[in-house]
Amino acid sequence: MTHVITQTCCGDATCVAVCPVNCIHPTPQEPGFAAAEMLYIDPASCIDCGACVDACPVDAIYPLDTLPGPQKEYARINADHFADAGTPAARDGSPIFHPWEEPAFERNLPSDFAPIRVAVVGTGPAGMYAAEDLLLHTNAEVTLIDRLPVAGGLVRYGVAPDHPATKRIGETFARFHTHPRVRMLLGLHVGQDVTVDELAAHHDAVVYAVGASRDRRLGIPGEDLPGSTSATAFVAWYNAHPETAADAVDLSTERVVVVGNGNVALDVARILVADDGHLAGTDIADHALRALRGSDVREVVLLGRRGPEDAAYTRSELLALTHLPGVELVVDDGDPRTGAAIDAAGPRDKAGLLRDVARTKVDWTSPPPEGRRIVFRFHSAPVEVLGGDAVRGVRVTSGSGEVEIPTGMLLRAIGYRGSPIPGLPFEEATGTVPHVDGRVVGRPGTYVVGWIKRGPTGGIGANRACAAQTVGTLLADAVQGDLPAPTGSAKAFRRLVRHRNRHVVDARGLAAIERAELARGRRSGRPAANWPRSPNSWPPPGPAAASAPDTRTGGPQHP
Amino acid sequence: MVELGRAFKTLAFGEAAYAAILVAEEVLDVMQRDWMRDERVVPFVRTINNIHVVEESRHMRFARDETLKRLENASWLRLQIQAFVVAVASYVIVTSMVTEKVYARAGLDVERAVREAKANEHHKAMLRSSCSGLMEFLASARLLTKPSLRFYKRANLI
C-alpha cells in the first residue's frame, strides 16, 4: 500500500518536510523541482504513515485504497515517475535506512537580530508565503496590505470555484492574518491612498507581492468589440471580484472561442459548460450561477497557436477535463499535424494525453451539435475578430488558409501581465519590476515577490521558493545594515492610513465578512456565497449585512 | 521535571493528553530529522533517530486524529481549558529541553550562558520555523486561544 498525490498538488513541498522515509520527489533540493508540475510519492518506499496527508494544504494526498474515482489514475502516474530512476537506496553501511540529503540551514540569524518592521503589499499566495517566512524566521512585525477589502488575492479571485481543495490553501494563509505580530490593512491602495515613499518611510522594508493583474492582448483587429474580453475578466466575474460588474458577461451565444490552452483557458472552458447543479454546490458568485443557468453555451473552442505537444495546460488539469460528466471532449482533426503528433507521442509526452480523446473534423459553418462539448483546435491562431457592433465570429489560421469560426464571445487566455506601481521601476517588456534576487534595483529596502517579480508563470506553490529567496535577500540586507532606517513610527503610519482612507478593513473586519459570507451561503445551501465587495458597495444587501458588525472603521486590532 | 510529568499525567485527560504528547513528539521529530541526516553525528545515534522518526510518524498522525475527533463538538469552556492545558504543557516541554548543567560542564558562567541563550534570536527563529507544522495543527484544532497564545509567545513558538 501507498499514498498517492493527485490532481490538486500545489507543489509547495510542505509534504516533503514531514515524510519520514523521504519518498516524495522531486524535493526542493533536487534538479527537477523547479520544472515539476506536481510531486509524486514512491509506492516502493511509502510506509502509509499519512504524515503528508495532514501537512498537505490542498488535500491532494489520499491512501491508495480511498482514491476517489477520477483520481484513480494517479496511482499509476505516481508510480510511473519512479519507474525509470528506480527507488533510490541508502548507501551501503549507512547508519540510516533511507537516502537523505545533508540537512541545510539556510537562514543564520545573528543572535542579537533586532526586530524589523516589514510591510507586505498583496495578500495573495506570494505575499502570504513571504509573510509566513518572515514571521516564522524572524521577530519581524508585519503590516499586511491589500488593495481589496478582503484578503486572498488569486486564491480567492483566481482559483476556479469547482476547485475547492485548492482554495483550502487560503486557510493555511489565514492563520497568519490574526498572528500577534501582524496588522492587516485591507482596502488600502498603495499608489493612491499612500505612496510608495510614504510606505517605505514607515517601515524597515517593503515587499511588493502585487501579482499581475492585467492580461496580455492579442493585438488583432476587432479585439475590443463587445463580446471580446479577457479570460481574466471572466474569471473575476465568476469569482465575484469587486471590480467586475454582475452583468459583465453575456452568455447568449452557442459557441465561445477561447484563445489559449493554459490552465486558465481550461478553467473558463470547464465553468462555461459545467453542470449548473454541480456549480451550485460551490462558492461561485450568485450572479454567475444565475447567468450560467440561463446560458446558451454548448461548445467551447480552445485555440492553440502550436501543436498538442506544446500545449500550455498541465497534465492534471487536462485529465480532470476528461472526467467532466455530460461534457464531450473533442480534438479538431482539420489539421493533419495534430493527429500525427498525438499518434507519435510516447505515453508520457504531453501530446499523448489526448490519445483517447475523440477526433473529428469540425464543420465550422454549422452551429455546434446538441450536447455540451469542449473542442481543442491546435495550430490555429486568431487573425481578426469579426462583427460590426459585437463579436459575431473570429477568423483564424489553419493548415490551409484561414477559417471563420462563428461565435458571440471571444476570451483571450494568453497570459497575465504585471502593472507598473507608481514610484517603482518597471520593465514594460516583461511586465515585471527589475530586481536582483528579489531586491528592487535602485531602491534599498524595497523587494518584490511572486508574479510581479518573476513574471506570470508558476502556480501557487512556486511562490514558496520565490518568497524564500526574497526574504533571504531581505534578511541578509538587514544583517548587513543596508536597510534604510524608517523615519516614521508604526503609530504614525496608522494615523496616516486613517487620515487617507476611512474604510480600511482590519483582521476583525475580515473575520466578520467571512462569517457573514458563510451564513449567507448556509441559507442558500452553499458553502459560502461570495458577493462582489468594494469599499463603496459593502456591506452587501441582505439580512447577513444587517447582523454583521461595522468593520469599516479600521480601529485598533491588538491590545 | 519528573514530578511535573506525574502531575500532568494525573491532570490531563482526553484531547489535552494527546495534544501535549503531540507537542513533545513534534519537537523531537524536527530535531531528530536533522541529527539523523547529519554526518557529524555518531552513526549509532543517527540510527536511533531514524528509527524514532519513522515510528513516530504514525503516532503523530494518530494523536492529531484523536485530538481533532475529541474536540469536534467541544464546548467553548472545554476548548478554553484544553487549550490552556496544552499551552502550559508545551511551554514546559520546550523550555526544559536544555539542562543548565551543560553550560557548567562546558566551563561557562551558567547565569550568563542561560541569559545569552534565552535572548538568542537565531534559536528563537529555529524554534518558530521548526514548530510551524505543530502550530498550524493547533490552530486548525482551535487550540490557539488568546490566553494560550501568551504561553506560545513566551516559548517562542509563534
Side-chain angles (χ1 to χ4, degrees):
Chain A
M1 274 278 289
T2 176
H3 277 55
V4 176
I5 304 182
T6 64
Q7 182 196 338
T8 46
C9 178
C10 72
D12 87 345
T14 312
C15 51
V16 173
V18 301
C19 179
V21 294
N22 202 16
C23 73
I24 305 176
H25 297 274
T27 67
Q29 285 78 38
E30 284 167 351
F33 181 75
E37 279 182 359
M38 60 177 283
L39 306 182
Y40 310 90
I41 291 178
D42 184 356
S45 39
C46 174
I47 58 166
D48 267 323
C49 69
C52 52
V53 179
D54 289 344
C56 180
V58 291
D59 294 345
I61 309 179
Y62 294 86
L64 179 65
D65 58 347
T66 64
L67 276 176
Q71 309 286 346
K72 284 208 192 318
E73 55 200 332
Y74 280 91
R76 183 183 48 78
I77 293 170
N78 276 249
D80 277 355
H81 180 80
F82 299 93
D84 296 337
T87 301
R91 262 185 311 107
D92 273 346
S94 166
I96 49 176
F97 312 124
H98 307 96
W100 287 95
E101 306 248 345
E102 281 266 303
F105 304 100
E106 274 141 20
R107 296 280 160 73
N108 210 338
L109 227 49
S111 58
D112 60 347
F113 188 78
I116 49 174
R117 211 158 67 235
V118 183
V120 176
V121 185
T123 57
M128 289 314 295
Y129 275 121
E132 173 181 8
D133 198 332
L134 280 165
L135 290 165
L136 291 179
H137 291 95
T138 71
N139 48 359
E141 303 262 338
V142 175
T143 313
L144 278 178
I145 299 173
D146 205 293
R147 184 167 67 86
L148 298 174
V150 280
L154 279 187
V155 171
R156 190 178 249 269
Y157 294 120
V159 176
D162 57 346
H163 281 169
T166 303
K167 287 202 172 187
R168 285 207 56 195
I169 200 164
E171 295 170 21
T172 307
F173 296 143
R175 171 161 95 82
F176 296 98
H177 293 168
T178 51
H179 190 282
R181 279 181 281 128
V182 166
R183 168 168 289 271
M184 266 218 294
L185 301 170
L186 304 174
L188 182 71
H189 200 156
V190 175
Q192 277 179 19
D193 298 331
V194 291
T195 67
V196 162
D197 289 330
E198 284 167 340
L199 191 59
H202 291 85
H203 292 88
D204 292 284
V206 184
V207 181
Y208 287 89
V210 292
S213 52
R214 290 185 296 171
D215 61 289
R216 280 180 56 197
R217 296 178 56 82
L218 294 162
I220 57 170
E223 193 176 352
D224 292 315
L225 282 174
S228 165
T229 177
S230 67
T232 318
F234 185 73
V235 170
W237 172 75
Y238 65 58
N239 277 327
H241 192 288
E243 287 161 0
T244 312
D247 58 356
V249 173
D250 174 16
L251 297 174
S252 59
T253 173
E254 293 179 335
R255 177 187 287 131
V256 174
V257 174
V258 179
V259 185
N261 54 21
N263 283 353
V264 173
L266 262 51
D267 275 351
V268 300
R270 210 175 56 244
I271 297 291
L272 277 166
V273 296
D275 175 41
D276 51 32
H278 173 60
L279 288 180
T282 71
D283 65 354
I284 190 169
D286 284 340
H287 58 245
L289 187 61
R290 262 196 311 277
L292 286 163
R293 278 196 172 125
S295 157
D296 294 326
V297 177
R298 292 206 307 273
E299 182 180 274
V300 181
V301 182
L302 298 171
L303 296 182
R305 187 160 44 99
R306 292 178 293 174
E309 63 279 12
D310 295 313
Y313 46 71
T314 59
R315 167 205 280 258
S316 53
E317 287 303 312
L318 184 84
L319 284 176
L321 217 55
T322 62
H323 298 300
L324 272 193
V327 178
E328 195 193 355
L329 210 58
V330 178
V331 173
D332 179 9
D333 210 15
D335 193 311
R337 285 175 292 175
T338 303
I342 296 173
D343 289 334
R348 270 185 268 163
D349 292 337
K350 201 147 212 181
L353 294 169
L354 294 168
R355 189 176 306 253
D356 299 327
V357 174
R359 267 178 253 167
T360 41
K361 219 169 175 150
V362 180
D363 174 14
W364 298 111
T365 54
S366 54
E370 283 306 307
R372 288 167 292 150
R373 67 175 192 174
I374 295 174
V375 181
F376 280 100
R377 184 178 158 86
F378 294 99
H379 297 293
S380 183
V383 183
E384 184 186 358
V385 187
L386 309 163
D389 47 7
V391 175
R392 115 191 116 65
V394 53
R395 201 148 49 78
V396 301
T397 61
S398 75
S400 48
E402 288 174 356
V403 181
E404 205 181 304
I405 304 178
T407 175
M409 184 170 166
L410 183 85
L411 294 174
R412 49 177 188 275
I414 50 171
Y416 291 89
R417 261 185 75 75
S419 305
I421 306 151
L424 289 191
F426 190 71
E427 255 170 43
E428 199 51 56
T430 52
T432 56
V433 171
H435 70 96
V436 177
D437 295 337
R439 185 194 305 107
V440 175
V441 172
R443 273 198 73 101
T446 304
Y447 302 84
V448 280
V449 68
W451 281 359
I452 193 66
K453 168 186 170 191
R454 57 180 209 273
T457 54
I460 292 172
N463 290 302
R464 192 164 179 229
C466 182
Q469 186 199 39
T470 295
V471 173
T473 307
L474 191 161
L475 294 183
D477 289 352
V479 171
Q480 286 279 317
D482 287 347
L483 296 183
T487 51
S489 66
K491 209 167 162 193
F493 185 64
R494 286 203 289 279
R495 241 193 330 261
L496 177 77
V497 167
R498 256 203 310 277
H499 179 66
R500 298 286 171 78
N501 183 341
R502 307 286 307 169
H503 300 305
V504 169
V505 175
D506 59 16
R508 272 164 60 198
L510 178 65
I513 291 176
E514 280 168 349
R515 270 199 306 278
E517 267 179 352
L518 281 173
R520 201 162 173 266
R522 253 200 309 278
R523 267 195 298 280
S524 49
R526 300 176 48 199
N530 288 356
W531 59 70
R533 287 164 232 83
S534 72
N536 303 323
S537 73
W538 207 89
S547 60
D550 186 6
T551 52
R552 301 169 63 192
T553 48
Q557 308 158 50
H558 301 304
Chain B
M1 196 61 231
V2 180
E3 282 68 35
L4 266 176
R6 290 213 179 98
F8 181 75
K9 177 194 77 183
T10 323
L11 291 175
F13 56 97
E15 52 273 17
Y18 283 112
I21 293 167
L22 190 64
V23 174
E25 296 294 1
E26 290 260 13
V27 172
L28 289 178
D29 182 70
V30 170
M31 294 192 308
Q32 297 191 329
R33 262 166 208 272
D34 287 341
W35 295 342
M36 75 180 191
R37 290 152 64 189
D38 200 327
E39 306 232 329
R40 294 168 300 179
V41 176
V42 190
F44 173 63
V45 174
R46 290 178 68 194
T47 308
I48 292 176
N49 286 331
N50 198 167
I51 293 171
H52 194 249
V53 165
V54 173
E55 289 306 314
E56 286 317 308
S57 60
R58 287 197 189 84
H59 300 176
M60 293 194 305
R61 180 94 208 276
F62 178 75
R64 277 193 287 263
D65 275 356
E66 285 296 318
T67 310
L68 287 179
K69 221 185 295 168
R70 281 155 191 269
L71 282 178
E72 210 178 339
N73 297 312
S75 66
W76 180 87
L77 183 68
R78 175 146 158 234
L79 207 61
Q80 296 294 318
I81 296 171
Q82 300 289 353
F84 184 77
V85 173
V86 175
V88 173
S90 308
Y91 181 81
V92 173
I93 291 165
V94 171
T95 51
S96 49
M97 279 196 307
V98 180
T99 164
E100 290 180 4
K101 283 183 205 147
V102 293
Y103 302 119
R105 297 235 169 107
L108 295 169
D109 170 5
V110 174
E111 205 173 306
R112 177 155 176 235
V114 170
R115 199 172 59 236
E116 297 280 346
K118 261 196 183 148
N120 188 338
E121 285 298 331
H122 178 69
H123 179 66
K124 292 182 195 172
M126 291 299 284
L127 263 177
R128 268 195 300 263
S129 53
S130 305
C131 293
S132 69
L134 170 68
M135 299 314 285
E136 165 101 45
F137 168 75
L138 293 177
S140 71
R142 297 175 296 153
L143 285 170
L144 295 188
T145 55
K146 272 247 163 71
S148 66
L149 271 177
R150 268 207 222 120
F151 286 89
Y152 294 116
K153 253 169 110 172
R154 262 194 85 115
N156 298 306
L157 289 175
I158 197 152

